[in-house]
Amino acid sequence: MSVTLRQSEIEEAIRNPVFGAWMLTGLELDTFQAAALKTMWFTKEVIDSSAINTGKTFRLILWCCMRAVFLPNPPNSRYPGRLIGAFYQEKGSVGEIFVKEMDAMIALPGAKLLRRELKRQSRGRLGYHEKDNTVNYYFRNGANVSAPALNVMRKSKTMAGRRYSDGYVEEYTQIDSDSEALDEQVIDRINRVDYNPNHPVFSPHIILSAHAEDPDSHPSFARIKQFKELIRGGSQNHALITSSSRDWSANHEFFRTKRHKADADRRRDALKQGKAKVMQKHDGAWEAGGADWYDGEERKACLDEGVLPEGRAETKGGLYALGWDTASSGGDKADWNAGVVWRAVQVTERQLGQLGVMPLDNGTFWHLSPVNAVAALDRSGPECSGIIHTIHERFGLSRIVMDGGGGGQMVKKELWRGTQLIDGVARKGVVGLCEWGMEHEYPGCRGIVQEFKPTAPRLLHVWPPGFEAGMDGITDAMHRAMRDAFETRTVAWPARLEDRGKLGVKSFNRHQLDALKWLDAAYGQFGSVRFKTEKDGRAKLTQKGFHSFEAKGKRKKDLAYAALYGFIAILSLISDPETVGGDGDDEADQYG
């Protein structure tokens, strides 16, 4: 039976993509697939956060073939047909996912039109041709669905100037997490001018597809937020869609089989993964948390709108401590430096159980919260020292804990000097800062600095027995203490800007807004901290039996570690019998 297409059928397929899918493949789409396909067909830029086992790859390949067949370029056009990109991060995924799914669609009993429209290649395989590490499916009307791997594209001179009519990216969240290739290698290339480029259907379309992740830690959530703002502003060119693995109708054997597999996979993952991870993976929800060290739900429960960022010390009776992380650098300048200021206010036992109140073994009770943060990019040792002195001037710090690695030693050597570079101006007569116990070597300096190391005398009482033997031990203990504080609600983190809204920060001054910006970033970076694992999923321990930690992909964690050092600084301060006394009768009114 020969298959022919009348002009009226092509026009109806353009107006009704569900009808076009039936003509091309013989499949009557599932209700959820039909709704998703309509959004993909009529919207220029779409992010699909649907869960696994929801048919994302099926939809994407169907969408590619429909755009190739039903949106041809007229005769005598500059290009014979549309060039549609199907992008994957690795070459192996092209063969394992794209080619397998494409061939399965071609083999569908009802896909007579699709088989007819594919160009028969010299070896007899419909449409298929591989060249320059790129798999192509050619159509009789001149269109081409091309699947290059991004890791090959970066090294390929032949791909350098290639432009696409349309394109989709599978597992775009992995590319966002591991590299900066997505915008340069894909999105900026989907701009080829074909027939009627201003038409809502014929214009270049882009689809980013991957199941949801942790909004607090994954870099791709920035794209979701950007799309939300554009949609709220009235954009008709952007859409966010998602669906659960349970969103399958049982009206067709093709889709009923997929529903059974989705249910089985959900039951399996629910036995070994947290609730948040299951929701991300199987419900397509950008749910905070997962299988990482710091659970997103526990952290979110510690957010408190009543805790305000401070530009300088504003709380009566408050103790302030700074955590500072100096970035490693190959030369004189560090590429990223971060500091977080913590505040402790002594309260009474009456406040025990309130968010942020921590009881200590010495019988005292403290309200703990970070109140200020800074991030300094590409700064020298003297510049970092000047920033620390500025913070000390504003808050009257009682303790500073800083990482001694990388450029930390260089910064520490600058802190004791009487001349400091503050706001770009060399200021003389500044009281220097030095490590505790070193005041005799640096006369006139205040000994409030402690390097984060096992032998730091003012930190020894913080470490549990057995953890103080080495850097891996105290690092593990630091992460355990911070996680315990989140889980027991004994720290109160300032609510984020997105939680407060514009009205919530209307009264904030510039210093408070800057502090909130970096505190929000520090909060998010906790979600990227994970402990290293073996291939079988077991924790990868050091030789002494402690956890070792890393960040997801290439995510930053400088502010998170500055917050960790600051937490140890304030914890060591309030539990140090030589520095703190009193019975808590003078607690601040806002915590009474």
Side-chain angles (χ1 to χ4, degrees):
M1 171 181 168
S2 64
V3 182
T4 58
L5 272 180
R6 294 187 292 270
Q7 181 65 25
S8 60
E9 291 175 322
I10 294 178
E11 292 174 358
E12 180 60 24
I14 293 174
R15 288 192 295 266
N16 182 2
V18 178
F19 172 72
W22 174 79
M23 281 203 303
L24 197 65
T25 65
L27 284 176
E28 293 184 11
L29 288 186
D30 166 275
T31 304
F32 302 99
Q33 301 294 333
L37 181 64
K38 287 179 180 178
T39 301
M40 295 160 61
W41 186 256
F42 291 112
T43 312
K44 291 184 179 181
E45 297 185 37
V46 178
I47 296 180
D48 186 353
S49 300
S50 297
I52 65 169
N53 293 319
T54 55
K56 292 195 299 296
T57 302
F58 163 79
R59 288 197 299 270
L60 291 169
I61 290 179
L62 175 61
W63 174 83
C64 284
C65 293
M66 289 176 61
R67 294 189 72 80
V69 172
F70 297 131
L71 303 179
N73 284 337
N76 302 320
S77 294
R78 181 179 179 183
Y79 304 105
R82 299 184 79 86
L83 175 59
I84 303 163
F87 298 95
Y88 294 83
Q89 187 176 24
E90 302 293 338
K91 185 180 179 182
S93 299
V94 174
E96 295 172 9
I97 300 175
F98 174 73
V99 174
K100 181 181 177 181
E101 290 285 343
M102 188 77 175
D103 288 348
M105 187 171 293
I106 293 170
L108 286 171
K112 297 177 182 178
L113 175 60
L114 177 59
R115 289 192 288 271
R116 174 188 178 274
E117 290 299 318
L118 283 164
K119 186 177 181 180
R120 189 171 296 279
Q121 300 295 77
S122 57
R123 296 184 180 180
R125 189 171 177 180
L126 281 177
Y128 180 89
H129 181 69
E130 184 172 356
K131 181 181 179 182
D132 295 330
N133 291 307
T134 301
V135 171
N136 300 279
Y137 280 84
Y138 291 102
F139 290 77
R140 293 170 59 190
N141 64 6
N144 173 17
V145 177
S146 177
L150 292 178
N151 63 335
V152 175
M153 282 181 64
R154 294 189 207 112
K155 303 173 184 177
S156 174
K157 295 181 180 178
T158 60
M159 300 293 294
R162 200 169 197 186
R163 294 291 181 265
Y164 295 84
S165 313
D166 311 285
Y168 75 78
V169 186
E170 274 259 48
E171 302 302 333
Y172 80 96
T173 54
Q174 294 182 13
I175 302 170
D176 261 342
S177 179
D178 295 336
S179 71
E180 299 177 354
L182 186 54
D183 291 299
E184 292 182 7
Q185 298 292 338
V186 180
I187 294 176
D188 292 345
R189 293 170 180 260
I190 302 175
N191 57 6
R192 201 178 83 170
V193 178
D194 287 274
Y195 171 69
N196 206 351
N198 297 317
H199 190 275
V201 176
F202 281 86
S203 58
H205 282 215
I206 303 169
I207 298 176
L208 305 180
S209 175
H211 73 72
E213 297 284 354
D214 185 342
D216 291 332
S217 64
H218 205 285
S220 291
F221 191 64
R223 297 185 188 275
I224 300 291
K225 290 175 67 175
Q226 181 187 31
F227 269 50
K228 284 182 177 179
E229 289 297 321
L230 291 168
I231 293 167
R232 289 192 191 105
S235 173
Q236 301 295 309
N237 296 324
H238 300 82
L240 296 169
I241 60 176
T242 189
S243 58
S244 168
S245 60
R246 291 183 170 134
D247 291 340
W248 287 102
S249 302
N251 60 349
H252 194 286
E253 179 62 28
F254 179 81
F255 301 113
R256 189 160 55 246
T257 302
K258 290 182 175 291
R259 171 63 188 268
H260 293 328
K261 182 179 185 303
D263 288 342
D265 288 347
R266 174 186 282 270
R267 288 193 298 270
R268 181 199 65 216
D269 285 345
L271 296 174
K272 59 183 181 179
Q273 294 182 347
K275 177 184 175 182
K277 194 65 177 178
V278 171
M279 291 185 70
Q280 295 164 11
K281 191 174 179 181
H282 293 277
D283 289 325
W286 282 84
E287 185 71 14
D292 303 309
W293 186 261
Y294 297 99
D295 184 79
E297 287 298 318
E298 302 291 354
R299 286 185 292 122
K300 186 176 289 185
C302 293
L303 294 174
D304 188 350
E305 287 192 25
V307 177
L308 305 180
E310 297 182 4
R312 59 179 60 252
E314 297 175 357
T315 304
K316 180 184 176 182
L319 297 175
Y320 294 88
L322 171 69
W324 183 267
D325 182 39
T326 306
S328 300
S329 61
D332 182 50
K333 290 196 173 184
D335 58 352
W336 184 277
N337 309 274
V340 175
V341 177
W342 283 75
R343 181 191 64 200
V345 181
Q346 191 170 1
V347 297
T348 65
E349 190 174 1
R350 294 194 306 271
Q351 282 75 52
L352 187 61
Q354 294 181 5
L355 179 60
V357 176
M358 176 180 288
L360 297 184
D361 293 339
N362 60 15
T364 59
F365 303 87
W366 297 85
H367 185 277
L368 304 181
S369 57
V371 293
N372 192 278
V374 296
L377 301 176
D378 193 28
R379 301 297 175 91
S380 65
E383 288 173 317
C384 289
S385 176
I387 293 170
I388 294 173
H389 271 276
T390 302
I391 296 172
H392 176 52
E393 185 179 82
R394 292 176 179 173
F395 288 93
L397 300 172
S398 298
R399 185 154 296 171
I400 299 172
V401 172
M402 60 188 301
D403 180 20
Q409 295 297 329
M410 181 172 59
V411 175
K412 191 170 65 173
K413 291 177 181 178
E414 296 291 334
L415 287 173
W416 66 268
R417 301 184 187 279
T419 300
Q420 294 291 329
L421 190 63
I422 297 178
D423 295 329
V425 178
R427 185 189 297 179
K428 297 181 179 180
V430 177
V431 177
L433 304 175
C434 66
E435 286 195 271
W436 182 87
M438 300 295 289
E439 295 90 342
H440 62 284
E441 291 193 19
Y442 304 102
C445 290
R446 293 195 61 198
I448 63 172
V449 179
Q450 287 285 269
E451 184 180 335
F452 183 77
K453 59 183 179 181
T455 56
R458 285 300 186 214
L459 305 183
L460 290 175
H461 62 283
V462 175
W463 312 126
F467 282 79
E468 71 279 10
M471 282 297 295
D472 55 347
I474 65 172
T475 300
D476 193 338
M478 174 178 67
H479 282 286
R480 289 174 187 267
M482 189 75 256
R483 186 174 66 175
D484 289 346
F486 281 131
E487 292 179 352
T488 57
R489 315 289 191 268
T490 49
V491 294
W493 199 281
R496 298 167 296 182
L497 177 61
E498 63 185 77
D499 301 319
R500 298 176 187 270
K502 292 183 179 180
L503 290 177
V505 298
K506 189 175 181 180
S507 62
F508 285 13
N509 59 40
R510 177 175 58 86
H511 296 299
Q512 287 179 297
L513 290 172
D514 286 343
L516 185 60
K517 169 187 173 182
W518 295 118
L519 285 169
D520 287 357
Y523 174 87
Q525 286 181 15
F526 275 107
S528 69
V529 177
R530 57 172 55 172
F531 58 89
K532 295 180 181 179
T533 57
E534 305 286 359
K535 291 183 178 180
D536 60 2
R538 293 182 296 109
K540 185 176 183 179
L541 302 180
T542 65
Q543 291 183 347
K544 296 178 181 178
F546 299 110
H547 288 93
S548 52
F549 298 84
E550 62 182 356
K552 294 179 184 177
K554 295 186 177 180
R555 289 284 285 160
K556 293 281 188 183
K557 60 182 188 300
D558 310 83
L559 277 160
Y561 268 79
L564 285 163
Y565 297 142
F567 178 67
I568 293 300
I570 201 70
L571 198 61
S572 68
L573 183 65
I574 62 177
S575 59
D576 190 336
E578 295 188 23
T579 59
V580 175
D583 57 8
D585 289 336
D586 298 325
E587 71 273 9
D589 292 340
Q590 62 264 45
Y591 304 111

